[in-house]
Amino acid sequence: MNNYIGEHLFPGQTGHFFAVLSLVASLVATIAYFKANRTAGITEKQSWIRLARLSFLIETVSVLALFVTLYYIISHHLFEYKYAYTHSDKSLQTEYLLSCFWEGQEGSFMLWSFWHCVLGWILIWRSKDWEAGVMTVISFAQFAIASMLIGIYFFGTKVGSNPFSLLRNEGFLDNAPIFQDVVNGGIRADYLQFIKDGTGLNTLLQNYWMVIHPPVLFLGFASTIVPFAYAMAGLMNRRHDWVKPTIAWACFSGAVLGTGIMMGAAWAYESLSFGGYWAWDPVENASFLPWLTSTAFLHSALLME
């Protein structure tokens, strides 16, 4: 029973349900695609593929529901949720409310997972006899990302970080006397009346580049899995013709990731206090080194062809 005045628990419960459903659906899709890839019989293979596609559809719906639910929490300023409180405030324009989504780690994982869903359906449509092997890898990657969003304890160890966790459950209010119930102990039931606004989006991130740069960059990150998935499918099936279908994907991945990197460079010179773009910090390395690897692979693949 909710003993705290003014809390909106339903959005958080809905979001956490879809986070768990996403985990389960991606695991089922991984197993079903793996079984389809290992099965020789046409009828049985098709049965596993139908199950896998249904599971991937549920996974896609779950990821979209996560997006909608978290954006609802942010845009309606439900500051009882840690994510809304730490990444947004009431003064932000609409486009910057969307930016709050991927300012945090959990929102970034959701964005990555969303692009995997988009790429997954393109692969289901276009990969033909490669589908089972390639989608086994994509679905397992989805499972790995989904495990980072559930925030559930297993045998005393917390797995992932729940983006729908409540502020009072994360220790934010424990050391502030204004929120304490001195009579009964714990957090007072009307604590929300003292939370007038969130801490807001970092001022340096209140820029139009924050709206467009992360989605492009994460599409570049997410698309790098496709050549890898073809390579793994080739290994699993002992097929040596996996290189040719990866060339177009490697071109796409390199182009999008390169565009995202150049956007980041423009942003750094325009508004961020980096003193220039390249400082070899982890953010820049995490985007540049995958691009170098992808470009090297593309040249090697072209030479092989």
Side-chain angles (χ1 to χ4, degrees), residues 253-289:
S253 177
V256 174
L257 189 55
T259 301
I261 292 171
M262 289 188 287
M263 283 181 172
W267 183 10
Y269 278 116
E270 178 179 320
S271 65
L272 300 184
S273 55
F274 290 170
Y277 175 57
W278 211 259
W280 291 107
D281 66 28
V283 173
E284 290 153 359
N285 292 345
S287 59
F288 184 57
L289 294 181

Side-chain angles (χ1 to χ4, degrees), residues 2 24 61 113 158 271 293:
N2 180 16
V24 174
V61 172
S113 183
K158 188 178 182 181
S271 65
T293 305

